[in-house]
Amino acid sequence: MAENSNNPYDINGQHFNPDMYFQKLLKECTLKQIMDHKTEIIKNTQTLHSDMQTLVYENYNKFISATDTIRKMKTDFKEMEESMDLLAKNMDSITSFSEQISSTLQGTRQQISKLSSVHALLKKLQFLFKLPSNLKDKMNEENYRQAVQDYIHAQRVLNQYGNMPSFQGIQKDCEDILEELKSRLRMQFHKRDASTKSLAENVDLLLQLKEPADSLCAEFLTHADGRLTEQLDILKDMCENDIIEFVDMASSGFLSDLCLIVASYNDMFINRPPTEDNQFTDDFDTKAIARLNSFIMRNMKKYFDLVGKRVENVADTAVLVRALDKFHRRLQAMNMLCKETDFARIGTDIVVTAGRKQCRNHLDNLKSHLNEALVKVRQILATKVSQDEDGSLAELQALLIMPSIEKVKGILQDLLVFLQPDLSFNLKTQFLQNFCVDEVREGLVVGFLHHLMATASGFCSGSDIPKFPPTLLLLLSKMCIEYKENNVKYLLTTTNDLFNIDQYTSAGNVTTDSEICEKFQEAAQNLLNHYVRIQGLAVSQMLRISVETRDWLHTIEPRTVRSVMKRVVEDITKIDTQVAALYDDSDGQVDRSSDSSRKTHSVSVSRHHYRSNWSSYTPSHIDSSLMTNIHKLFSERIEIFSSVQFNKASILTGIIKISLKTFLECVRLRTFSKYGLQQIQVDTHYLQLYLWRFVSDENVVHFLLDEILGSAVHRCLEPVLMEPSVVDIICERANSEPLSMLNMRMT
């Protein structure tokens, strides 16, 4: 600042040098800049000149105004001084006149006082003599308050002079009228249309008439109890109305009456100042407070029970939340009635219960939706089966999964209205934790997932002959896998994000997605195993009937493959198509090529395998079955009913194992002729030609078919096998022959 003040170039400073400033401008600025600067200086100068003129004018006006004010004050003070002198003269005159009046009336003052007292006494006596008639008139007019005031006004005189004969009649008449008045006031308690305010006035009058406060407390609360019961009955009749209308009616009716009753009770019995008769003692206050609290809790419990039932079945969640918010806000104001009980907490419990019921209703809707979807899928599958058509299993699987997922998402969005920040009950962490964690996540979402698993697993129970298409088991198994791999995590993550589950809970007290996924994996495995079992038993039933209903000792020489074998191949092919729509070999990491060279090689190997085995089944080796049994001891054991993997090859392998095992056991129980043995030889060779492509391990099919043929040889009376070339010709001809012709040749 010092530098600026001493700077000769500072145009606002004291040491400003215009010549130096001008020389500096000539050196540093162009002509245009100098002209602009000149214009700016002229403009600033004019502005300062205008400001100075304005300041001068304003100060001049203030000076003129101050001069006028001083001149006016001189005139006002002069007039005020004259007024004060006149007032002093008037006061002196008034004082002299007052002294003259006092001296004149000094002799008659005592007489006037005596007459005045006699006049007052006569007026009191006149009031007493007219009191009975006045009380009756006031009672007839139903002006009970004025009647009580008149009696209380005369009560002290009556009590003081009641032993005098002239006053005894008046006192007796007043007492009789007073008893009638008390009776009329008490009758107000029994009127149904009596308001709480009028009852409070009657109680106040009875207390002024020295009625016992304890009995009045009981009568007042009894009548109030009846009025509140009527309000609750009205609310019960409104249970079919809109929930918001119900809550508004409860607030303006029941709760308002209850508040008015409590306020009147407190004013009349608890907060009333002590009286001469000592009715309102500390002991009485304690009993009165306890009686009032009991009255409040009894009626509020009825109210809470009624509200709790009313909020159970409300279809519109948004309307329900608005009603619950109004209900909870009203209860917060009710906490002043009974400080020993937190009505807002009870209201929060009712809100939680309502939210729980809403979640249960949504869960029931989800269950119904799932059942409807299952019924629809079963009908579609039954229709396709009856029409011998293959439906799109992928579309049916989507029908089972996607609508349920979308419905759960819609329900979660619907329940988000409970978390609106402006709701009164959302201020309590307990409500948020109970509702978000226990009801929405665990009760609704996790509960639906458990129900889905239980419903799907329920199809695994029952007999081996299901009442539903077996393909449904395949769909449900794939559905469980889809939930395990994608949908479980998606639903739980969506729920956690929408309802801030991580904020209200830790990982220890909620069901994790890994636990649910494990159960879905188990359910999917059981469904798939059951599907394999049912399909295997269905094919086995055809094979068993074909073996048990044929006379193998009197059969003719085989000329073709039995039709049941072709039907078995067709059924297995159909099952393969159905399974391939949902499961493929890539799921089980099985690499199977459909190249023709691969098939040719497999067939040639299989034929070589059977030809090598058939050579051992000669009459000279029939008695050497011991070596065959020893060979079985060292061969790998095949488990027929083992769990299958989630791929097409494993599923088809399980079905074929069950079918061929049944075929084997049926063959072991029959006795064959030479032609019967050759028919089994043709049938097993036909099965070997087609079944190898469906399994993951061809050796399983080779081993079981070898067992079937070997068992037929051991059960044959004349074990002579056909030439392999003849068997090949029969099987190739049967492959080109229509199934109808094979059915006609069945014996």
Side-chain angles (χ1 to χ4, degrees):
M1 293 178 62
E3 293 178 356
N4 291 336
S5 61
N6 296 326
N7 187 4
Y9 300 106
D10 184 10
I11 196 171
N12 295 322
Q14 296 179 358
H15 301 279
F16 174 68
N17 191 326
D19 295 332
M20 295 176 64
Y21 183 78
F22 180 70
Q23 292 299 327
K24 181 181 179 182
L25 288 178
L26 292 177
K27 292 179 181 179
E28 296 179 357
C29 300
T30 61
L31 179 60
K32 186 178 184 305
Q33 291 177 344
I34 293 173
M35 295 301 294
D36 292 340
H37 192 60
K38 174 188 176 184
T39 304
E40 182 181 358
I41 291 175
I42 293 173
K43 183 178 179 181
N44 291 338
T45 303
Q46 292 175 351
T47 301
L48 290 175
H49 181 69
S50 177
D51 292 341
M52 290 295 294
Q53 285 183 344
T54 302
L55 184 61
V56 169
Y57 291 151
E58 287 181 355
N59 291 333
Y60 180 75
N61 290 333
K62 291 179 181 179
F63 176 75
I64 296 301
S65 177
T67 304
D68 293 340
T69 302
I70 294 172
R71 186 182 299 109
K72 187 177 180 181
M73 286 177 63
K74 290 182 178 181
T75 305
D76 292 341
F77 276 115
K78 185 176 181 181
E79 293 177 356
M80 188 179 298
E81 185 176 358
E82 294 176 355
S83 299
M84 290 298 294
D85 293 339
L86 181 60
L87 179 61
K89 292 179 180 180
N90 291 336
M91 290 296 295
D92 293 339
S93 176
I94 291 172
T95 302
S96 63
F97 279 116
S98 176
E99 290 176 354
Q100 292 177 6
I101 292 172
S102 296
S103 60
T104 303
L105 297 177
Q106 186 173 4
T108 59
R109 181 177 297 171
Q110 294 180 354
Q111 185 179 358
I112 293 173
S113 299
K114 184 177 181 180
L115 291 174
S116 177
S117 61
V118 171
H119 180 265
L121 179 60
L122 289 175
K123 289 185 66 175
K124 291 181 180 179
L125 292 175
Q126 184 181 9
F127 177 78
L128 288 177
F129 285 119
K130 292 183 178 181
L131 182 60
S133 61
N134 288 337
L135 291 179
K136 287 184 178 180
D137 293 339
K138 295 297 188 295
M139 288 178 58
N140 293 332
E141 297 173 0
E142 295 185 355
N143 191 358
Y144 302 126
R145 177 170 293 278
Q146 187 63 42
V148 172
Q149 290 179 357
D150 291 345
Y151 175 76
I152 293 175
H153 182 66
Q155 186 178 15
R156 182 177 298 178
V157 178
L158 290 176
N159 292 337
Q160 184 177 359
Y161 302 103
N163 55 350
M164 297 177 63
S166 57
F167 290 101
Q168 288 180 354
I170 297 175
Q171 186 173 14
K172 186 177 183 306
D173 292 341
C174 290
E175 289 177 353
D176 294 339
I177 296 172
L178 198 64
E179 290 300 324
E180 183 181 356
L181 176 60
K182 293 179 181 179
S183 177
R184 288 193 181 186
L185 291 175
R186 288 183 180 274
M187 287 295 294
Q188 299 295 322
F189 288 106
H190 303 287
K191 290 185 178 180
R192 301 179 62 88
D193 57 346
S195 63
T196 303
K197 183 178 180 180
S198 63
L199 289 178
E201 293 177 355
N202 292 337
V203 170
D204 183 62
L205 295 177
L206 289 171
L207 288 174
Q208 293 181 31
L209 295 176
K210 304 298 187 286
E211 285 296 291
D214 191 66
S215 63
L216 292 178
C217 285
E219 290 188 34
F220 180 78
L221 292 181
T222 300
H223 180 272
D225 214 349
R227 287 185 57 82
L228 293 179
T229 302
E230 293 178 1
Q231 293 285 349
L232 291 175
D233 292 338
I234 295 174
L235 291 178
K236 289 180 182 178
D237 296 336
M238 293 182 61
C239 285
E240 299 298 329
N241 294 23
D242 182 71
I243 182 64
I244 295 181
E245 183 181 354
F246 174 85
V247 172
D248 291 339
M249 184 63 186
S251 298
S252 61
F254 174 81
L255 294 179
S256 296
D257 279 2
L258 181 59
C259 292
L260 183 58
I261 290 168
V262 172
S264 301
Y265 186 92
N266 288 328
D267 293 339
M268 289 183 298
F269 302 110
I270 298 177
N271 299 329
R272 195 180 185 92
T275 57
E276 296 178 359
D277 54 5
N278 294 326
Q279 288 194 75
F280 301 98
T281 60
D282 293 340
D283 184 58
F284 172 80
D285 290 344
T286 303
K287 293 180 180 179
I289 293 174
R291 182 177 295 173
L292 178 62
N293 290 340
S294 176
F295 167 81
I296 295 173
M297 293 305 301
R298 183 173 62 254
N299 285 279
M300 288 299 292
K301 184 179 183 302
K302 296 178 183 178
Y303 171 67
F304 285 140
D305 293 341
L306 184 60
V307 173
K309 293 179 181 178
R310 178 62 186 87
V311 299
E312 284 184 354
N313 297 313
V314 180
D316 194 335
T317 306
V319 173
L320 173 63
V321 170
R322 286 174 53 198
L324 291 174
D325 183 49
K326 289 187 174 183
F327 163 74
H328 193 269
R329 290 181 187 276
R330 191 68 172 85
L331 288 181
Q332 288 178 331
M334 295 290 293
N335 277 343
M336 299 301 296
L337 291 180
C338 187
K339 297 182 180 180
E340 288 78 6
T341 304
D342 187 3
F343 291 124
R345 182 188 57 80
I346 301 176
T348 302
D349 294 339
I350 293 178
V351 173
V352 172
T353 303
R356 180 186 303 115
K357 185 63 179 178
Q358 200 71 4
C359 292
R360 295 295 181 271
N361 292 338
H362 283 308
L363 181 59
D364 293 339
N365 293 335
L366 286 174
K367 293 178 180 179
S368 300
H369 175 76
L370 177 63
N371 292 334
E372 293 173 0
L374 287 174
V375 170
K376 185 176 181 180
V377 170
R378 288 177 62 176
Q379 291 175 349
I380 294 174
L381 290 175
T383 303
K384 296 296 183 181
V385 171
S386 63
Q387 297 177 358
D388 196 18
E389 296 180 359
D390 292 330
S392 176
L393 296 185
E395 295 180 359
L396 294 180
Q397 180 200 358
L399 182 62
L400 285 175
I401 297 177
M402 296 310 299
S404 297
I405 297 296
E406 294 299 324
K407 195 169 184 63
V408 171
K409 290 169 58 179
I411 288 174
L412 293 178
Q413 291 293 335
D414 182 65
L415 293 175
L416 276 179
V417 296
F418 277 95
L419 303 185
Q420 294 176 7
D422 57 338
L423 299 177
S424 59
F425 49 78
N426 272 350
L427 301 177
K428 298 181 179 295
T429 306
Q430 178 186 1
F431 164 76
L432 295 175
Q433 182 174 357
N434 291 340
F435 178 74
C436 298
V437 180
D438 299 338
E439 306 306 333
V440 177
R441 189 186 192 277
E442 298 297 313
L444 178 61
V445 179
V446 177
F448 172 69
L449 294 176
H450 283 299
H451 173 76
L452 185 62
M453 283 185 292
T455 302
S457 300
F459 287 90
C460 295
S461 60
S463 61
D464 293 333
I465 302 177
K467 299 180 181 179
F468 50 85
T471 312
L472 182 62
L473 295 172
L474 194 65
L475 287 170
L476 293 176
S477 173
K478 185 63 176 178
M479 179 190 71
C480 292
I481 291 296
E482 287 293 328
Y483 270 95
K484 176 243 178 182
E485 293 179 351
N486 302 312
N487 298 330
V488 170
K489 185 176 181 180
Y490 173 73
L491 289 178
L492 293 181
T493 303
T494 302
T495 305
N496 295 342
D497 294 341
L498 290 177
F499 291 86
N500 297 323
I501 300 298
D502 297 335
Q503 180 180 351
Y504 307 116
T505 184
S506 58
N509 56 354
V510 294
T511 306
T512 60
D513 52 354
S514 59
E515 297 176 9
I516 302 178
C517 289
E518 290 177 2
K519 295 181 180 179
F520 268 108
Q521 176 75 20
E522 181 181 355
Q525 187 67 64
N526 293 334
L527 287 165
L528 198 58
N529 291 343
H530 195 59
Y531 171 77
V532 170
R533 175 183 174 86
I534 288 178
Q535 294 287 43
L537 293 179
V539 177
S540 300
Q541 183 73 2
M542 291 191 299
L543 293 172
R544 184 180 65 81
I545 293 175
S546 69
V547 174
E548 293 179 352
T549 58
R550 190 179 183 92
D551 186 2
W552 295 101
L553 293 176
H554 301 88
T555 186
I556 62 175
E557 183 179 0
R559 291 291 181 265
T560 184
V561 178
R562 289 187 300 143
S563 62
V564 68
M565 299 301 159
K566 193 170 183 180
R567 178 60 61 83
V568 168
V569 173
E570 289 181 350
D571 287 354
I572 296 296
T573 304
K574 185 176 181 180
I575 293 173
D576 177 76
T577 303
Q578 293 176 347
V579 174
L582 300 177
Y583 294 99
D584 51 32
D585 288 341
S586 61
D587 294 339
Q589 296 179 355
V590 177
D591 185 14
R592 298 188 56 83
S593 174
S594 58
D595 186 31
S596 59
S597 62
R598 162 72 177 172
K599 295 182 179 179
T600 305
H601 175 71
S602 299
V603 172
S604 63
V605 172
S606 301
R607 289 177 179 175
H608 175 74
H609 170 77
Y610 274 95
R611 285 167 183 166
S612 63
N613 288 337
W614 292 342
S615 62
S616 64
Y617 298 134
T618 59
S620 63
H621 292 85
I622 295 300
D623 296 332
S624 62
S625 59
L626 179 62
M627 294 301 296
T628 304
N629 293 331
I630 293 175
H631 174 70
K632 292 179 182 180
L633 292 177
F634 293 98
S635 62
E636 184 179 357
R637 183 173 179 269
I638 299 176
E639 293 192 14
I640 303 301
F641 293 99
S642 60
S643 295
V644 298
Q645 299 177 5
F646 295 95
N647 60 80
K648 183 183 70 172
S650 178
I651 296 172
L652 270 296
T653 300
I655 296 173
I656 291 173
K657 285 194 299 184
I658 295 174
S659 303
L660 296 183
K661 183 63 176 178
T662 303
F663 193 9
L664 173 62
E665 296 301 326
C666 292
V667 168
R668 286 177 177 175
L669 298 177
R670 311 300 295 178
T671 302
F672 298 90
S673 64
K674 179 180 71 171
Y675 293 141
L677 172 62
Q678 292 176 358
Q679 184 66 58
I680 295 296
Q681 179 185 0
V682 172
D683 292 343
T684 54
H685 183 66
Y686 181 82
L687 292 178
Q688 181 270 332
L689 289 176
Y690 293 99
L691 295 185
W692 67 269
R693 70 191 68 184
F694 300 114
V695 298
S696 57
D697 186 3
E698 299 176 21
N699 294 327
V700 174
V701 177
H702 297 162
F703 179 80
L704 291 174
L705 291 175
D706 187 34
E707 285 285 307
I708 293 171
L709 185 58
S711 296
V713 170
H714 289 302
R715 297 292 298 173
C716 184
L717 300 178
E718 187 180 357
V720 178
L721 296 173
M722 297 178 67
E723 287 295 327
S725 59
V726 178
V727 175
D728 288 340
I729 294 173
I730 294 174
C731 292
E732 291 176 0
R733 185 174 61 192
N735 185 33
S736 60
E737 196 172 33
L739 181 61
S740 59
M741 296 182 62
L742 291 175
N743 291 333
M744 293 174 61
R745 294 183 180 181
M746 288 186 64
T747 302

